[in-house]
Amino acid sequence: MTTTRFAPSPTGYIHVGNLRTALMNYLIARKAGGTFILRIDDTDQERSKQEYIDQIQRDLEWLGLTWDRIEYQSKRLDRYADAAEKLRQMGRFYEAFETPTELDLKRKKQLNMGKPPVYDRAALALSADEKAALRDQRGPGVWRFMLDQQRIDWRDGILGDISIDAASVSDPVLIRADGQVLYTLASVVDDTEMGVSNVVRGSDHVTNTATQIQIIQALGGTVPAFAHHSLLTGPQGEALSKRLGALSIKDLRAQGVEPWALLSLMARLGSADPVELQTSLEDLAAGFDITRFGAAPTKFDEKDLYPLTATYLQGLDFAAMADEIAALGVPADLAAQFWQVMRDNITTRADLAPWWALCRDGAQPVIAEDDRAFVAQAMALLPEGPFDAGTWGAWTAAVKEATGRKGKALFMPLRLALTGQASGPNMGDLMPLLQKIPGRG
Ligand code: GLU
């Protein structure tokens, strides 16, 4: 049974990088007919906020990435306490009392001596009395998991064969001095108890994975299949981490990016497969293969979302847009035609409103000094409305006849005079939609 999970920490809005993780896990479950769990990693009570939990759910729902189950780590603290107790009884868990400053000093010394900055396990040498004295002085210590100092190997779904020497990794702290269970332990307990079979996450978690494998084994769980995707960079290969806040799903949505544009891009970016607009999660899942993804950092350019958004909108028939177009105030007898004309001329849905305003109210005309007389002459030849599909052709033929102008010199000043813009829909198509002509009452 394939079970995957997306495990965001609700300490901020989810962004394109998180979406990539969510989508990969979703598609693996979907393709296998398995279970997709949304797991809220909210053990950090101070930084976790309900507002973020709500927004994460709204974002995923908007994208259609629905979950079969939702779990909250904050409701499972007793499970983590049980696991901690089990590790303690096994002798794999020990209390350590170093302050952050002391740890820092140790690290610096090790680095100076050319050694890897690995925790030296000094706490293991403490007698029960020494521990009691330290506890009195400093309060409770942190709890560290005692790694078995062997190589930890796994076959990663993206990175291939990985081997990490546990001796080069510090014994991970699983419980903080204030008693807060840390993600590493919580995640392992959840993955084991929830039967998670596949974990895809960012390559920043590779070392975590090594330690988690040992913790899972210590607790008698089954190690899931791991895959670590590369991290996103900006278009120039620059670190994206600082900009990710501006690339939240929420903001991209507000900017008019369509869900299918985001899904289509993020499901293929960084893989050997081409990015094409897809409009079915089933198709996306069917064509999804984690082994097609590369280990190299993946360049992400938010600009790529807009052509996909435009392509998606172009493909919508009127029925899909009827309500939205009616809400703009487009009269029913013009609505279908308005969509027909505009759909090839918009990047996002938000572009429809200004086009309708232009049709309804008339544009602010743009007329070059040299074209004043010409435009005035042309306007005098423009018939009374309403216009039809033949108006533009007949009018420009008459203007050509009267002025001798042709080609761009004929058409462009007229377009600018009627729309105020150098580009836009075919004028023949646009004319019948114009409710008001600049300069006419
Ligand atoms: N809450 C963790 C994170 O957001 C989850 C990592 C994982 O997938 O295990 O990084």
Side-chain angles (χ1 to χ4, degrees), residues 339-363:
W339 176 239
Q340 192 56 38
V341 173
M342 293 307 165
R343 65 179 181 186
D344 296 332
N345 286 280
I346 53 173
T347 304
T348 71
R349 289 166 197 260
D351 297 336
L352 288 172
W355 273 115
W356 174 243
L358 185 150
C359 292
R360 184 191 56 210
D361 305 334

Side-chain angles (χ1 to χ4, degrees), residues 16 247-257 262 302 305:
V16 284
L247 294 173
S248 69
I249 305 305
K250 180 175 174 270
D251 287 352
L252 292 171
R253 177 180 183 177
Q255 283 153 32
V257 170
L262 261 170
E302 65 194 286
L305 292 166

Side-chain angles (χ1 to χ4, degrees), residues 5-10 18 21 25 39-41 73 183 187 191 199-202 204-205 208 212 226:
R5 81 314 193 265
F6 171 50
S9 306
N18 304 124
T21 312
N25 285 294
R39 190 183 85 196
I40 304 294
D41 282 5
Q73 289 195 326
Y183 147 79
S187 184
D191 287 340
V199 173
V200 184
R201 56 189 175 194
D204 49 337
H205 282 291
N208 277 341
Q212 289 185 1
F226 285 103

Side-chain angles (χ1 to χ4, degrees), residues 374-396:
F374 164 74
V375 170
Q377 201 179 347
M379 292 311 274
L381 292 169
L382 182 64
E384 286 299 312
F387 304 133
D388 61 30
T391 304
W392 173 256
W395 179 44
T396 51

